[in-house]
Amino acid sequence: MSVKLKALVFDAYGTLFDVHSVVRLCDEFWPGQGTALSQLWRTKQLEYTWQRSLMRRYKDFSDVTVDGLRYACAALGLSLSELQVTRLREAYLSLTTFPEVKEALGKLSHLQLAILSNGAPSMLDPVVANAGLRGVFSAVISVDPLNTYKPTPDVYQLAVKRLGVPKNEIGFVSSNCWDACGAKSFGFRTFWINRSDAPVDRLDAAPDHVIRNLAELPDLV
Ligand code: LAC
């Protein structure tokens, strides 16, 4: 029987906020290329967080995101103006939430709810506010003070410290399987939102629960 959870900590990008909601603007700039660009952009954005963490060359997530965009455009042969960089950087501040997010969070309000994200505070605060979620979370925690990225264990420890809740009473929710595995390896009870029916990452720290979307979460906690 699992310990009763006191808090739920959510990943931001891909879990609450749909990073691919930029596809429409990308398609406006480069017709027909939006989906391919958005996929490669996200892939490189994440790779750069892992590579920079290993290299100990932290740069904040807003700049890493732009680096991923520049790479993806170059790889796809798309010319990218500085105005387009600015527009797409801004688009990250008003990403849409997945359709079930607000209702699911409403059903979880008996728990302490928080966000723990790679995002810089200058990105997280606006995206949370623009989605109308400001009052929902007791803490919006960024990796930024640590100058490193997930899945470094120190990052997950930030949530323990900030919430004042022991790690075995914290549930961690992420659609990024490697993030759910990192959180499991650290000691959280983990919920992987497997939106695309993907296989589990082979990291010897499989998530405790695998669900299709956040609507399934309230029945499990
Ligand atoms: C985040 C990335 C992993 O929000 O999506 O931390």
Side-chain angles (χ1 to χ4, degrees), residues 11-13 42 46 116-118 150 176 178:
D11 167 60
Y13 301 105
R42 172 67 170 170
L46 291 176
L116 174 64
S117 172
N118 279 345
K150 296 172 176 177
N176 299 289
W178 58 269

Side-chain angles (χ1 to χ4, degrees), residues 60-171:
D60 92 18
F61 197 60
S62 181
D63 290 338
V64 167
T65 297
V66 169
D67 287 342
L69 172 65
R70 290 190 197 282
Y71 176 92
C73 283
L76 296 173
L78 308 173
S79 78
L80 174 68
S81 70
E82 289 315 299
L83 183 63
Q84 287 167 324
V85 169
T86 303
R87 291 276 309 279
L88 286 165
R89 198 197 277 265
E90 282 167 7
Y92 243 79
L93 307 181
S94 42
L95 297 173
T96 55
T97 52
F98 289 97
E100 81 284 6
V101 165
K102 283 180 194 161
E103 192 180 335
L105 291 173
K107 290 183 182 163
L108 294 163
S109 57
H110 55 291
L111 295 169
Q112 203 177 335
L113 304 180
I115 289 177
L116 174 64
S117 172
N118 279 345
S122 62
M123 306 170 79
L124 289 172
D125 295 338
V127 81
V128 169
N130 289 334
L133 294 175
R134 198 180 256 160
V136 171
F137 298 104
S138 58
V140 177
I141 307 163
S142 166
V143 301
D144 197 59
L146 292 183
N147 281 6
T148 191
Y149 287 107
K150 296 172 176 177
T152 310
D154 293 355
V155 165
Y156 303 107
Q157 180 64 30
L158 275 179
V160 174
K161 214 169 142 195
R162 180 80 173 270
L163 301 180
V165 174
K167 62 181 171 184
N168 66 333
E169 293 174 38
I170 293 180

